[in-house]
Amino acid sequence: MAVLAQPDAFFRHVRTHLFGGHMAQSQVDGINAIIAAWAKYGDGNLQRLSYVLATPNVETGGAYQPVYEYGPRSYFNKYEPGTKLGKRLGNTVKGDGFRFRGTGMVQSTGRGNAIRAGKKLGLDLVGHPELMMDISVSAQILVVGTLEGWFTGKGLAAYIDDADESDDEDLKEFIQARRTVNGQDKALVIGKDALIFEAALKAGGYGKKPAATSAPAKPAPAPTASKPAKSPLAMLATAAIALAIGLYQFAKANGVPLP
């Protein structure tokens, strides 16, 4: 799927309107990883991609790199098997609360999500949950998880339609789309960031093929050197010599005495 025809224009808009004129390379790498994951798993909807791109600005504190949910080990006891949260997250083994704490660019949490993501991506994320800290894996979990409703049972299509509407209407949808990840926590902040990404994607030619570059013109073949034309006098001299040679050969062949 073609995503951006003009990535420079896209990043220029994001850098100016979201990051105050400066972006670290790590932020660029994170956003590129999300765009690559969208190219593989996305549904082509510009507004949904805008929302996906905006989500890590809150979930990672603007780092756009995979992070672990913060807190001492005891903090994650609330996710342990037998607790209300632990049951909802599919945690079944003691230690799952910490082992499957919030991870990545969307803070995927729980054994259940690790199983689901592992099946989708073809990875053993239960045996190796640290793989969810890989930027490419994390971006794919963000994209597929929000589209398919892994985290709350609701996917982005439940809140963001296929119509390109006014910013006010899009913002309403973006605010509700927070329910795909975490209720209404920071919903307005993410919604406004999604509007910035929406404008950036349009500036970057989302969905359009990059302009074809014309092949350089082949150089014209070098002109072949032409022989200079002979003057009439030179041509007469050449003819006279040829005639003399012919007469000599005739005389010699017929026994005619030569002077």
Side-chain angles (χ1 to χ4, degrees), residues 10-28:
F10 165 80
F11 277 108
R12 184 163 53 249
H13 190 94
V14 171
R15 185 170 58 248
T16 300
H17 297 281
L18 193 62
F19 293 106
H22 174 75
M23 291 179 71
Q25 185 60 48
S26 57
Q27 292 171 311
V28 174

Side-chain angles (χ1 to χ4, degrees), residues 1-90:
M1 178 193 300
V3 177
L4 291 175
Q6 297 177 309
D8 288 347
F10 165 80
F11 277 108
R12 184 163 53 249
H13 190 94
V14 171
R15 185 170 58 248
T16 300
H17 297 281
L18 193 62
F19 293 106
H22 174 75
M23 291 179 71
Q25 185 60 48
S26 57
Q27 292 171 311
V28 174
D29 293 343
I31 289 173
N32 275 329
I34 296 169
I35 291 173
W38 185 265
K40 185 175 183 179
Y41 292 109
D43 64 3
N45 182 289
L46 183 148
Q47 285 74 30
R48 290 175 200 146
L49 173 56
S50 302
Y51 191 81
V52 169
L53 286 164
T55 295
N57 202 29
V58 162
E59 295 289 321
T60 71
Y64 278 86
Q65 290 290 306
V67 296
Y68 281 119
E69 185 177 0
Y70 180 76
R73 195 179 186 98
S74 59
Y75 172 80
F76 302 103
N77 289 339
K78 64 182 181 179
Y79 299 147
E80 279 296 284
T83 66
K84 184 178 179 179
L85 283 174
K87 289 179 181 178
R88 194 176 78 190
L89 294 170

Side-chain angles (χ1 to χ4, degrees), residues 67 102 148 162 201 207 225 228:
V67 296
E148 296 188 358
D162 292 321
L201 287 168

